[in-house]
Amino acid sequence: MGQLDGKTAVVTGGTSGIGLATARRFREEGARVYITGRNKDTLDKAITEIGGNTIGVQADSADLASLDRLYTTIADAGHHIDILFANAGGGTFATLEQVTEEHFDTTFDTNVKGTLFTVQKALPLLNDGASVILTGSTAGSVGNEAFGVYGASKAAIRSFARTWANELRTRTIRVNTIAPGPITTPGLNGLAPNDEQAAQLRDTLAAGVPLGRMGQPEEVANLALFLATDQSSYITGTEIFVDGGANQV
């Protein structure tokens, strides 16, 4: 028996990195998994990779019509949601002098607006006792150079978790934030203009981690699984770091 047998999970941004690893982990534990992605080819590839009872819906979390399509698909199938992993997000480097209106809007639309309406629009389908998991970042609590807008967007996610945990307590819906540190993902590699500089970025980040290495998406997925199950039944409104001690030691 799996830990999530009979459960329905939704993972936004489930086509790569942490989202893909978590969707795969949920599926391995018996969940029916809905994933979203903006690119159809990438979405189809992820569905094949995850296998089993995985349903893909092409959607951009910052686009409210896309979210409506996601939840209509779930409702039309007669399903309700036990686990919502609002994971879709991203960011790019820009110093204070370099920030443009477009950079700000893109980052906050994807990370803040997208997360807000992903959770809000799921409310009618969320079962009482459901688990809502948000993807934050260690950047939300430290002052990483050239990552100010991204860090601010992730600080907003942390605030959302506190507020929503309080607002949804009467339905015993738990809301928690995962704050990954340096994790080897396509998104992180995409911050660099080429493979050589991406490798240099990973080396630089790993050097600042007490455990001496980058984290892997599967290590974040293991925490997401814990928060998705009753093993974390007395945990809500919190932020848990998966950073090899980088922001703790």
Side-chain angles (χ1 to χ4, degrees):
M1 287 184 61
Q3 297 182 68
L4 301 179
D5 282 350
K7 303 288 187 180
T8 296
V10 174
V11 179
T12 63
T15 60
S16 69
I18 291 168
L20 177 61
T22 302
R24 186 189 304 116
R25 192 75 180 91
F26 286 172
R27 181 69 203 107
E28 289 170 350
E29 291 295 334
R32 174 191 301 110
V33 182
Y34 287 86
I35 64 170
T36 70
R38 290 181 292 186
N39 180 278
K40 186 178 186 305
D41 290 341
T42 306
L43 183 64
D44 291 342
K45 181 180 178 182
I47 293 169
T48 300
E49 182 175 338
I50 297 166
N53 198 359
T54 305
I55 303 98
V57 179
Q58 188 174 1
D60 178 348
S61 294
D63 176 62
L64 272 58
S66 289
L67 292 173
D68 288 337
R69 185 167 60 252
L70 166 66
Y71 293 125
T72 297
T73 300
I74 296 171
D76 286 349
H79 299 145
H80 286 76
I81 301 169
D82 301 291
I83 304 139
L84 174 60
F85 186 26
N87 167 73
T92 55
F93 288 127
T95 65
L96 175 58
E97 293 83 359
Q98 295 168 337
V99 170
T100 63
E101 183 177 12
E102 181 183 7
H103 172 81
F104 179 90
D105 287 346
T106 298
T107 305
F108 267 72
D109 280 354
T110 302
N111 296 344
V112 181
K113 176 184 174 183
T115 298
L116 168 64
F117 288 105
T118 293
V119 177
Q120 184 201 71
K121 287 178 173 292
L123 290 176
L125 290 175
L126 282 173
N127 285 323
D128 289 353
S131 174
V132 174
I133 306 165
L134 312 180
T135 296
S137 171
T138 55
S141 15
V142 296
N144 293 322
E145 291 186 30
F147 229 24
V149 175
Y150 176 80
S153 73
K154 291 302 186 177
I157 299 304
R158 176 66 183 96
S159 180
F160 280 160
R162 288 189 176 107
T163 302
W164 297 343
N166 194 32
E167 291 180 350
L168 298 176
R169 70 188 188 280
T170 58
R171 294 182 57 188
T172 63
I173 293 174
R174 298 178 295 108
V175 185
N176 292 291
T177 304
I178 293 175
I183 307 295
T184 302
T185 65
L188 184 139
N189 291 332
L191 292 173
N194 55 57
D195 290 345
E196 180 179 354
Q197 291 189 40
Q200 292 174 352
L201 175 61
R202 292 194 300 272
D203 289 344
T204 298
L205 292 172
V209 177
L211 289 182
R213 65 175 177 83
M214 297 282 291
Q216 298 302 312
E218 291 75 16
E219 294 176 298
V220 183
N222 287 336
L223 175 57
L225 175 63
F226 169 72
L227 292 174
T229 69
D230 289 340
Q231 293 184 48
S232 58
S233 58
Y234 202 52
I235 300 174
T236 192
T238 194
E239 180 179 37
I240 303 179
F241 290 81
V242 189
D243 65 354
N247 288 28
Q248 317 304 319
V249 178

